[in-house]
């Protein structure tokens, strides 16, 4: 048994712990060998590999990033892409099966390859926690922790100056990081893609906080959109070169709040910091367990499946079932948090 | 509706977040008032209260400890204890119901009081994660994170000196903190109460690590016991005053390992650090949600119930069902981790 | 002896520790009383005060922000400003003397007030470490630590994707935060206001790193300017409304690097996070000592002086001598660091 | 120029940063080559070396421990020890000079070797900050930061339970870690080797804190001794085997306080955690600079010197001058802190 490993898509704390878990479980329990494909599907398509064994994975469970590298290459594109070429490349390299660690695009590609008869197992990876089929995915806890620490810091400055602070966290399509980091840091409002709000509602929260003599702290997902208006990008206008102006939603929102409420307002885009660096203990445990379970899934030939967290258990689910829709924040979870707003 | 709040038993990161969640939810949704009982059941028995309203709980979700104080007082003991006295005290204070935040002892007392007709709802609290009925309890994630950071630090020193390090974490009856912090820190062996091991097995792991040129890192629960021997305390012998010698199991284990393997070995008891200080973002979210749900349980008059985490949901369960047995580490979870040993 | 305390200018970790140090030393050693002026010089000018005693300062040494609030009000402006009005306000409030905690503007104002016969003592406060007369000022160590942690996180993502990362830290006029956080995080180039560089030099470092197969990490002060060109702002062009486009120097630099080298490049402005939140232990100690020494300076009637760190000692220096020029990064310190570039 | 590097004595955060700084400076500026001696002087005496070049030191500035390993071997002892043997070993290995990174013992040995004509330069290393000739040494800031974080955590638990907590930090002969971490964490008393106190004085502080309704927090150096009594070890009595009982001074002190004041008291030995793991940004900068300066000292043939921090500068001083006495806490520094006690 010779298993190919690849990590695809954006960086995520815990990738290395998945790799370590899969390798140690595969080597010790299933007598497997491993090969690493470099830079995601690109390595598979181009046959760009690196040696991976138990020595390679020593101590990496604590490290951010991925020793394999990552990219956003699509395995169905390019001259060497597609199932037939991939099958041939795998055969030449003596690789029987693949563990693909990635987000929605990666898992969808993995499923299509499995449908085409290639032996693939998936491990869900998403900072944003936007994948279905699993309670949480690794990297999310670290992102929430980093965002929370940053918001805690921003808050004291807001209070010293009686300012409003708008902290922008990751979440293009779903608001999980905002929801959790906002609850954890005691934000006065949380704005997420699933729950468009008008600028009036937002300013209502801000003024209510100000009227109690406090400094308003807002947490906003990058993908938040205003209610009853075109999408957020349309607010950004165009720059001198007729291109959409750069900058996140927080950089639009803060001046709007300042203009309407008269409260000095500042924005802070937390950015890539949320997806790099050492994983939290929670994510190290989850990622290690997922990696080990993925090695088991290969051993059991569960092609087209992915490993997932359900309650306290790691289970195997069909990628097709899991990835068909985004894991959005349910209205009940938002309403629960909204009790704390204002 | 006037709700009494109390925190009982050992300190736990997230207690203040529970209090804040319950108060804000109760005040804003259920039009409730709150009163705090000081130092756990003692405050209830003695009628020692403090004012608690939405201003009292400002900003406390981020803080360690409990603004109410805690103690290990048993509400059934003492002159003023027992259901009849408590009912009378509550009546005098105009308190209709109680939210009791505590561990097994507290929840068992809460259930007995509920059986006696007193309106009590419980919130499970345990650093050790030893309570049934809930996937995880707040405080556990913080404890694992702190232990993991400490073990990461101890490891580098062990490696500089080619030593074996034995890190002792909390867990008198169950090994969850050791299991998770050990997995997260890449420990070479994890020793927990549920899985007695002989000193020979332990030294086998240590020697295998040493033979690969590395410094062995062991994580041991305070309640670990050797297999085939009397309990750990019997190893401790007696001191000059014929009292059992002080010190944790790691302080017994390290010299035993050194004597048998010849590898210089050091122990470190992580101690109370694991149960104090700011909660992790995970625990702040979980504790806030549990507190809010407890206010709902009071509103719904679910006496004798406790709030609990199941998957991603907060649910209400019967204390009687939940607390009847310890939440021990299942053998499958230990075996999963043991693949990584040695 | 009744001393007025005020904090002025931007937020800085350690402000509360200065306040606590001054109050405890003043109360316990010099039998002083204290009053807090709210929001910097504004509180003094408007007679807006808060009670401050030893109970007020309990536990605040560990907290970010300032319990007094801050603003950028100039005490010489406005109807109630100027020495005569201030002397009258102080007299009405029974305040004999003032401890003013702030940056260059604040200290210059303090000196002018002292010249006009008002009893003022200064405490230097600057995140940027741009004040003369003191080896380091409190807040700087915390800012460097936060920036370093963030850069460590950004690095792993850069490496996973073979990208160049440009991290922008505070430092409008001096490059100390960039110098120290860049050295601490092992940056491949550090760009500071004192050392203009051409885009060619910068791309030279970037390419040299890439050629060794690594991901270039650059740290840039917000005030960095290109050599041989108009200042950085001129690169920013104008937006659709004919205003300079928003965004930091890193947001200009990253696309320039990408265009010239072909290396995918990302920027991250670390922002206000660097000036909020809990102070590091180093800053707590330094700030506490400075606060205590300021109470001594008042007792010794050293008007127009400020407290300062020299080696391991806290000394008193003339504001006039200390603040006359910026504490820039000496060329020798930059050259020392530059050995590590590329 | 071929320089041997060694790290000797206890682990200390920043050792790897010194190594990296020396190697990069030596290679890039002085065209030097490097060889690592493994496990301190032992590697030199036994000719046990490892290859060290710029690739070896990649990324290690952020890591705890030492890639060279350490031991407490004395280079003047053993068959192969002593200047003549060492000179011969160096000659065989083609090593011209040595950079020895270590504490008092190491530096004294370095000086003796220099006196015997061997080309040695020293870098002072001490967690405890007990070396003369330098304002601070690397590792100390990290130790203080870790201790402070731990004491912050212990405090909340003490307050929840109205307990007294006695936190024991490193410092066998000098009290710097206790002084700084005690000031930073707002301890109610700091007990250090330089300032013996009676148990009555200590209990006086404890009771004064309790009487204000607070939980007493004491920080004690491991080397603290009671005033007017034999040394602390004599309090420890003997165990069943007629050996001094194990355990730190805090484990003696806590029960004494509890017995005399009636306040429940707990001890916590922070232990080796203080000397392992990632260095703080401060220590990374200091250690890197010291390493770079050591390479310069070799280039300038300043045998028998060590590098040192004076104010903001790195200087070269004679080991003989620097190490002749311990860097103890001056009485004035203790008195300054003592204002905050009680």
């Amino acid at each position: 048994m010779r298993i190919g490993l690849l990590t695809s898509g954006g960086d995520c704390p815990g990738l290395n712990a998945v790799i370590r878990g899969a390798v140690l479980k595969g080597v010790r329990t299933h007598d497997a060998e491993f090969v690493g494909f470099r830079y995601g599907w690109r390595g598979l398509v181009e046959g760009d590999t690196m040696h991976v064994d138990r020595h390679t994975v020593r101590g990496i469970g604590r490290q951010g990033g991925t020793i394999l590298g990552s990219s956003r290459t699509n395995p169905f594109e390019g001259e060497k892409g597609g199932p037939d070429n991939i099958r041939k490349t795998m055969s030449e390299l003596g690789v029987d099966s693949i563990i693909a660690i990635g987000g929605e695009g990666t898992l969808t590609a993995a499923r299509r390859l499995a449908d085409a008869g290639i032996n693939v197992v998936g491990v869900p990876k998403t900072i944003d926690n936007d994948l279905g089929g699993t309670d949480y995915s690794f990297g999310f806890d670290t992102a929430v922790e980093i965002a929370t620490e940053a918001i805690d810091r921003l808050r004291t400055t807001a209070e010293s100056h009686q300012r409003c602070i708008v902290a922008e966290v990751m979440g293009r399509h779903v608001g999980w990081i905002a929801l959790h980091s906002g609850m954890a840091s005691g934000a006065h409002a949380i704005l997420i893609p699933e729950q468009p709000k008008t600028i009036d509602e937002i300013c209502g929260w801000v003024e209510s906080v100000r009227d109690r003599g406090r400094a308003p702290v807002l947490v906003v997902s990058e993908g938040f959109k205003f209610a009853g208006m075109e999408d957020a990008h349309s607010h950004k206008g165009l720059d001198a070169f007729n291109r959409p102006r750069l900058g996140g939603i927080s950089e639009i929102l803060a001046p709007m709040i300042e203009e309407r409420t008269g409260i000095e307002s500042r924005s802070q885009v937390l950015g890539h910091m949320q997806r790099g660096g050492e994983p939290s203990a929670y994510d190290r445990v989850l990622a290690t367990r997922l990696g080990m379970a993925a090695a088991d899934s290969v051993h059991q030939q569960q092609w087209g499946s992915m490993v997932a967290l359900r309650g306290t258990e790691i289970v195997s689910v069909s990628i097709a079932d899991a990835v068909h829709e985004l894991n959005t924040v349910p209205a009940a979870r938002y309403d629960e948090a909204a009790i704390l707003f204002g």
Side-chain angles (χ1 to χ4, degrees), chain A residues 2 24 33 55 69 87 97 127 138 183 198 240 245 274 295 301 317 342:
Chain A
R2 193 167 154 87
L24 292 181
E33 287 181 14
H55 301 290
R87 197 176 296 111
S97 56
I127 284 290
F138 68 90
M183 277 190 98
T198 65
R245 267 182 289 159
Q274 295 164 83
Q301 311 198 345
V317 300

Side-chain angles (χ1 to χ4, degrees), chain A residues 39 47 54 57 107 169 172 186 218 261 280 286 288 302 321 339:
Chain A
Y39 301 106
R54 56 177 294 184
V57 300
L107 295 175
V169 299
R172 208 159 290 183
L218 274 61
T261 65
S280 67
L286 175 56
T288 303
Q302 297 176 310
D321 292 347
I339 296 292

Side-chain angles (χ1 to χ4, degrees), chain A residues 4-341:
Chain A
L5 281 168
L6 65 84
T7 53
S8 172
D11 197 17
C12 186
L15 286 168
N16 279 325
V18 175
I19 295 167
R20 175 176 171 270
V23 170
L24 292 181
K25 184 69 185 278
V27 168
R28 292 182 170 185
T29 305
H30 306 308
D31 208 26
E33 287 181 14
F34 286 85
V35 64
F37 289 111
R38 287 163 60 85
Y39 301 106
W41 295 112
R42 192 169 88 203
L44 174 58
V45 167
E46 300 183 356
D48 182 8
T49 63
M50 65 179 276
H51 178 76
V52 172
D53 65 15
R54 56 177 294 184
H55 301 290
T56 321
V57 300
R58 172 182 165 184
I60 67 170
R62 296 182 292 279
Q63 294 173 4
T66 160
I67 58 166
L68 302 176
S70 189
S71 72
R72 298 191 187 275
T73 303
N74 181 332
F76 288 92
E77 293 178 357
E79 262 182 41
K80 302 183 196 162
D84 293 341
N85 290 324
I86 285 173
R87 197 176 296 111
K88 200 175 144 205
T89 307
M90 286 173 64
S91 168
E92 284 165 13
L93 296 166
V95 170
D96 315 307
S97 56
I98 291 164
I99 295 175
I101 311 165
E104 196 209 347
T106 299
L107 295 175
T108 301
R111 184 187 55 74
R112 284 179 60 195
L113 289 175
D115 289 348
I118 291 174
N119 300 340
V120 193
V121 159
V123 179
K125 171 211 69 90
T126 157
I127 284 290
D128 292 351
N129 199 37
D130 60 3
L131 287 170
T134 185
D135 284 357
Y136 293 106
S137 48
F138 68 90
F140 171 67
D141 183 71
T142 306
V144 170
E145 189 66 44
I146 295 170
T148 300
E149 286 174 21
I151 301 165
D152 282 354
R153 290 203 168 272
L154 295 170
R155 172 194 294 277
T156 71
T157 297
E159 287 176 349
S160 295
H161 296 287
Q162 294 187 296
R163 276 185 202 142
C164 171
I165 180 79
V166 183
E168 179 174 331
V169 299
M170 286 188 164
R172 208 159 290 183
H173 304 295
V174 305
W176 287 107
I177 294 179
L179 183 79
H180 279 230
S181 65
M183 277 190 98
S185 60
H188 300 103
I190 299 169
L191 304 172
I192 64 175
E194 296 90 335
Q195 297 278 345
K197 299 287 167 192
T198 65
I199 185 67
D200 287 341
E201 287 174 286
I202 297 168
C203 290
W205 286 314
V206 167
E207 288 171 339
S208 140
V209 175
R210 189 259 319 266
D211 293 347
R212 299 206 315 275
R214 301 190 53 192
V217 174
L218 274 61
V219 178
V220 58
S221 304
E222 56 181 330
F224 171 74
K225 291 177 178 62
F226 291 101
M229 297 172 71
E230 326 79 310
D231 82 37
H233 286 283
S234 69
H235 296 280
K236 300 170 86 167
L238 302 175
D239 69 10
F241 307 98
N242 214 30
R243 295 173 308 195
R245 267 182 289 159
L246 291 171
I249 179 72
S250 64
E251 292 168 355
I252 299 163
L253 195 49
M256 289 174 76
I257 291 171
E258 181 162 328
E259 191 186 340
R260 286 168 187 244
T261 65
I263 302 168
E264 191 184 9
S265 299
R266 297 288 169 87
S267 64
Q268 171 79 43
V269 180
L270 299 187
H272 276 70
M273 218 168 53
Q274 295 164 83
R275 66 179 337 132
E278 290 192 2
S280 67
Y282 179 99
D283 279 335
R284 296 189 203 175
V285 172
L286 175 56
T288 303
R289 294 182 72 197
L290 289 172
M292 294 173 80
D296 293 342
S297 291
V298 169
H299 182 68
Q300 294 155 18
Q301 311 198 345
Q302 297 176 310
W303 316 126
S305 75
M306 71 176 210
V307 289
L309 176 69
R310 293 278 172 85
T312 61
E313 299 300 314
I314 305 297
V315 298
S316 174
V317 300
S318 152
I319 293 179
D321 292 347
V323 181
H324 70 287
E325 62 182 29
L326 276 180
N327 177 33
T328 53
V329 174
R333 282 299 306 276
Y334 187 76
D335 294 343
E336 178 192 46
I339 296 292
L340 307 168
F341 290 0

